[in-house]
Amino acid sequence: MRTAKEKLVVIGNGMAGCRAVEEILTRDPDRYEITIFGAEPRVNYNRIMLSPVLAGEKTFDEIVINGQDWYEENNIALSGGSPVDHIDRDAKTVVTRSGQVAPYDKLVIATGSDPFIIPIPGNDLEGVVTFRDLDDVENMVAAAEKGGDAIVIGGGLLGLEAAHGLSLRGMKVTVIHLMPTLMERQLDEAAGWLLRQELESRGQTILTGANTKEIQGKEGRVAGIELEDGTRVKADIVVMAVGIRPSTGLAKQAGIDCERGIMVDDHMVTSDPAIMAVGECVQHRGLCYGLVAPLWEMCRALADHATDAPTGYPGSVTSTKLKVSGINLFSAGDFSGGEGCEDIVMRDATRGVYKRLVLKDDRLIGAVLYGDTADGNWYFDLLRKEEDLSHIREGLIFGQAFASGGALADPSFAVAALSDDAEICGCNGVSKSTVVTCIEKGAHSLDAVRSQCKASASCGSCTDLVESLLSLTLGGEVESGPQTMCSCTSFTHDDVRRLILEKQLKEIPEVMQELHWTTPDGCSACRPALNYYLMCAWPGEYVDDQKSRFVNERLHANIQKDGTYSVVPRFFGGITNPRELRAIADAVEKYDARMVKVTGGQRLDIFGIRKEDLPAVWADLNAAGLVSGHAYGKALRTVKTCVGSEWCRFGTQDSTGLGVKLEHATWGSWMPHKFKMAVSGCPRNCAESTIKDFGVICVDSGYELHVGGNGGIKVRVTDLLCKVETEEEAMEHCLAFIQLYREDAHYLDRTAPWLERKGLDWIKAQLFDDPQSISRLAQRFRYSQQFSQDDPWAQRAAGDRKDLHSHLAEVRPLAMEKA
Amino acid sequence: MTQATVGKWLDIGPVVQIGPGSARTLPVEGGEEIAVFHTMRGKFYALVNKCPHRQGPLSQGIIHGDTVSCPLHNWRISLQSGEAQGEDEGCTPTIPLKLDAGRIFLLREAVVPQFMPSQPSSAAQSA
């Protein structure tokens, strides 16, 4: 029999404090005399529902968890609006700011967390708010009533919810996010891209990689912000939602052990056995949590301990959902990959769905779902249980209904179970029986099925189904189809090029999503290829992706075996002059180049330049009128010439002049592979035009045009394409041929293998069957040249992309000298 | 460089100076040049800037997933373990890295072994 009840004091009337009390009451309602101190003058409400309140989708009353009557029924003394000033551990009392003293036998600290305020000028201006409690929401709602511009600093969960709320209330919202991807802690690049697209389509402006320098004010009120890069954005309200930190002030002051949060053991007990702590203010096994699910688990452990039935809290695995209406997004566990991790990726472009599961040792350790989150809870459950999933791995990505369906766990059973009239390919309306008939009639590969009955020939999302039908019908005798672009996709280079145009795909993440890439961010084979294909398809629109370029193209110089670089300026048609030669000689001395060599393409190559010195070398060469020779690029390289009619006894035409003209017209153009040209002034062919990608041999009656030559590993002599009479025709044919190659070849195919694969007849047909073809192709080439004939060296020499050439910092071990 | 003389961790600047899918270098006087990588998925790693094959500067390779393809001969190196992937064999030393408050930190003793006079052997080389 207890004579007097123990006194339990709770600091914090939030979700954790009240939940802890609720849990204790369900275990032993009569044990404690309970007092709760709250800083906010309100009853206990559901803080995570503030976003819907801001968005106008819920009212405050709807998010109250425990109303006044709950406190009364349970004899809980609530001191609302009375912040605690300090804890006196010796006297075992809690003292409020207003002087109220409350003795305790057991104390629970549930002070939660404080929003992080970035230490920048202007952060104290009127109109700068955080997003933490109902006061903040009321501030935002009041600001939104006047309309105007809102800036939300922070593209995390909280920031995006604030941004959504403000847009719904009619403000024009700009989200400023420091990191390159929205919600980078919960989402990978692919899902982040989908989210960004969705938010932008709803009218928000998203600035990523944006570092706020200062908040600008006018008459004490916020007027806008300035970013580190000088960008300015105006605003009538600035919401800072960059993160939270555990509120540990009271605990620290009382001498309780704290690191980032208040340190607690598995029973939520602090370094003082009479004091427990719970919620966002604590640090448990090194982790602090900012989400609600772990809090419930902590409260259970705390209540078990407080009622003498200790169980212990092992820590939480957390999951996240974005509370923005119409956007389905789920993330749980660790999806950042790493050693021993396997990714299963599914992209369904038509439905805007992206799913990625990360497995390690046949166990699910992370999941990102975008667009379709129906299976989120099931995945989360698998993740927490750490179950061995090897028996359902095949069907795992298709969700619970599929993977758990007994025999259905084998995808081929699922396909076998489909009725004959079931639709396999939605794009082309092809039924199962049509596909099976097509296979039985001899289409024994994916490609054959695609060409004969069109199944899987459009978006490709039914490729897996068609492959299952193939193996089902043929019993494992499936012929391997043409080579796919790389192991990240089931499409071939040709498919990818065609679909980029058909579906108007304009960014790498978009291609990967629409074409169902099976890796989150591709590989070193597909990224450069996609970058080229997009640039070729959309010359005026596509923004080059540096991180998808091989080092030579990224640094506009050739990497050599010792990690230094070589630099080749352009000599148009192989011609140079004293000024250029002097500039090269000076650069060689000034930058300590170790060798200068005449190349096979009639130019000078400067060897041994350090990455840091490249911009300075280019600046010096530019000053003498030299531009980049693209000797590093999958691009137009050289136009080799002989001296032709101007000097040579045998020269029939001005081959040097034509070479110069050709090079002026074509330099700077990106190609599937390197591209070399030559012009010889007579059939003696001193410029070796018959082993070039495009060669001209001048004859008395005009110009012979040769294509598809290669002097490399596998020497190939050109095929004669045609003969033309004038220099203008020779030029026009050259541009048309180049454009045909650019638009059709696979990335890293030189003209020789391309021509052998397609056949000379095919190439001739493309160029000559329609009398308009030559001029149309040449016109497309000229159009794209508008955008690519900028000297890349000049931009870099002027300071563009300095980060590519400079070190992060330099480390000198000063401590050695001190010691 | 006073920040280089105190603490277990070496602050090498803000996270934003390395964009996703790229890498930057950190020369260390008397030590190995270090490459700091930022993957497309937002992870950061640090490795000695040398491919185990022919010492290619890994910082200049294309980054995909948690690997980098060496710019010289296309060996794929795990950013997490430094191990060559696939058929190739070899390992590049890794440098412990952590992020805190938007800044990148490297474990000082792995970067500058001279700071640890009791351990004369280079942690970076022997890791």
Side-chain angles (χ1 to χ4, degrees), chain A residues 33-55:
Chain A
E33 182 188 324
I34 301 172
T35 306
I36 301 179
F37 288 98
E40 282 183 70
R42 296 187 182 90
V43 292
N44 173 223
Y45 64 89
N46 188 344
R47 197 183 297 277
I48 57 171
M49 297 310 277
L50 283 176
S51 296
V53 172
L54 174 64

Side-chain angles (χ1 to χ4, degrees), chain A residues 650-652 680-686 690 696-700 704:
Chain A
F650 303 105
T652 61
S680 287
C682 77
R684 286 170 188 78
N685 192 15
C686 294
T690 47
V696 182
I697 294 181
C698 304
V699 291
D700 277 332
E704 282 179 4

Side-chain angles (χ1 to χ4, degrees), chain A residues 3 12 36 67 69 79 100 115 119 153 157 235 276 330 377 382 429 433 491 498 537 559 643-644:
Chain A
T3 45
I36 301 179
D69 45 346
S79 261
Q100 187 187 347
I153 305 180
L157 202 57
M276 295 171 281
F330 172 89
N377 291 335
L382 293 176
S433 64
F491 285 106
R498 177 173 54 80
I559 193 165
V643 291

Side-chain angles (χ1 to χ4, degrees), chain A residues 163-180:
Chain A
H164 174 65
L166 291 168
S167 332
L168 280 189
R169 286 186 181 270
M171 297 196 85
K172 196 175 161 300
V173 179
T174 303
V175 176
I176 310 279
H177 192 48
L178 184 64
M179 301 304 287

Side-chain angles (χ1 to χ4, degrees), chain A residues 178-181 184 187-189 209-211 260 334-340 343 356 360 520-524 527-528 545 547-551 554-555 559-563 565 611 801-804 806-818, chain B residues 1-2 4-5 10 12 15-29 33 36 38-45 49 54-57 59-66 69-72 74 76 78 80-81 83 85 102 104 111-112 114-115:
Chain A
L178 184 64
M179 301 304 287
T181 314
E184 78 285 346
L187 300 183
D188 59 11
E189 194 208 15
N211 197 2
R260 262 186 72 210
D334 178 9
F335 56 86
S336 54
E339 203 70 16
D343 283 311
R356 175 157 158 242
K360 193 169 189 174
D521 55 4
C523 68
S524 58
R527 292 196 72 96
D545 183 28
K547 52 189 184 290
S548 299
R549 282 197 180 265
F550 185 64
V551 59
R554 204 180 327 122
L555 291 183
I559 193 165
Q560 302 298 343
K561 62 187 284 188
D562 65 349
Y565 293 80
K611 178 179 80 184
R801 298 307 309 269
K802 251 188 278 184
D803 57 304
L804 290 177
S806 62
H807 294 301
L808 269 175
E810 214 164 321
V811 177
R812 294 202 188 91
L814 293 183
M816 273 280 279
E817 294 157 28
K818 280 188 181 172
Chain B
M1 292 297 290
T2 48
T5 60
L10 188 67
I12 57 164
V15 165
V16 282
Q17 64 193 337
I18 310 176
S22 58
R24 295 189 65 186
T25 49
L26 183 77
V28 178
E29 196 174 279
E33 184 166 279
V36 183
H38 182 180
T39 71
M40 305 285 288
R41 311 174 195 178
K43 282 270 220 179
F44 281 80
Y45 297 101
N49 192 22
R54 295 274 173 88
Q55 283 71 57
S59 58
Q60 301 305 313
I62 291 178
I63 299 162
H64 47 102
D66 287 295
S69 291
C70 176
L72 290 194
N74 219 23
R76 284 190 308 121
S78 159
Q80 195 166 42
S81 67
E83 300 272 0
Q85 305 291 289
I104 306 168
V111 176
V112 196
Q114 296 93 320
F115 277 115

